[in-house]
Structures are given as C-alpha cells and as structure tokens.
Amino acid sequence: FSWQWENNLNYLWLDVAWMGWPVVHNGSLCQDIGYYYEGFNVDMSVEKLKYAIENHNKDIGYLERNRNIIKRYTHQNNNLKEQYKMLVENVLNNKFEKYSYDWKTNLIE
C-alpha cells in the first residue's frame, strides 16, 4: 500500500507490479498498474486495499497484464526512445516546444 503527493510515477510501484506483488497506489500517471485509487480518497483506498487482499491471488492475469503495461516505460518502447532522442536534440539546439503527455502510452503528443 502506498500514497504519494506530486510523485505520480514512482518506480517502486512498477518494480512491485513487475514482480507480481499487489500494489495499491495513487499514482495518476500509471492508473492501469496494480490497484489505483484517486488522489487522497481514503474511502477508495480502503476499497482497493480490501479488493487486493480478497482477490489478488485469484487474478491469474495480473503478472502478465502489468508486465505488458510496464513495457511502455522500458527500452522496449521504441517510440519512447525516439521521443527522448528528439527532446535531447531540441534542448541542444535551443528548440523549446510545449507538448502534451499521454500517461496511457507514456508518450508526448
């Protein structure tokens, strides 16, 4: 069980979910990993924690599902690598642009 404030992509959650352990968290940039509750909603966090305790061991697809989702944060996401390269080149060339971020793909638009 975890909570955070202004650290919406905590790699601890990714590591825990990658290993198949249940992670109950409020990281809005990875809502589809583990068991997400919104903001500081205590009632929702209690619901998610109870759900994880009662159902996690029954969810045979948890490990594979989370590993597939987490791949968007790894070297296996070729679009991510290309975007990082572009952003670094932009900084080196004094080219600053505003982009929108899509947490569902971990890419900018």
Side-chain angles (χ1 to χ4, degrees):
F1 182 80
S2 179
W3 67 273
Q4 59 77 35
W5 188 358
E6 299 301 326
N7 184 20
N8 285 299
L9 189 58
N10 184 332
Y11 283 97
L12 174 64
W13 305 328
L14 302 181
D15 290 343
V16 171
W18 183 269
M19 296 303 295
W21 291 95
V23 57
V24 179
H25 67 89
N26 66 338
S28 63
L29 296 181
C30 56
Q31 297 176 29
D32 50 353
I33 294 172
Y35 305 95
Y36 170 77
Y37 63 94
E38 188 173 338
F40 297 101
N41 187 327
V42 174
D43 294 330
M44 184 186 283
S45 68
V46 169
E47 285 178 29
K48 294 293 181 166
L49 182 59
K50 284 181 182 179
Y51 180 86
I53 290 169
E54 294 171 0
N55 296 289
H56 179 75
N57 289 335
K58 300 173 196 171
D59 187 354
I60 59 172
Y62 181 88
L63 178 67
E64 183 177 353
R65 182 174 61 253
N66 280 281
R67 284 189 175 180
N68 284 329
I69 294 167
I70 292 168
K71 286 179 184 178
R72 71 177 173 232
Y73 302 101
T74 72
H75 71 281
Q76 294 175 343
N77 183 342
N78 290 325
N79 291 329
L80 177 65
K81 292 189 290 188
E82 289 300 317
Q83 286 189 349
Y84 266 88
K85 180 180 175 185
M86 177 200 66
L87 292 170
V88 170
E89 288 173 355
N90 284 356
V91 169
L92 294 174
N93 293 309
N94 289 324
K95 181 180 176 185
F96 300 99
E97 295 182 29
K98 187 173 183 174
Y99 297 96
S100 296
Y101 174 74
D102 182 359
W103 71 265
K104 293 178 183 177
T105 61
N106 192 35
L107 298 172
I108 56 176
E109 301 173 340

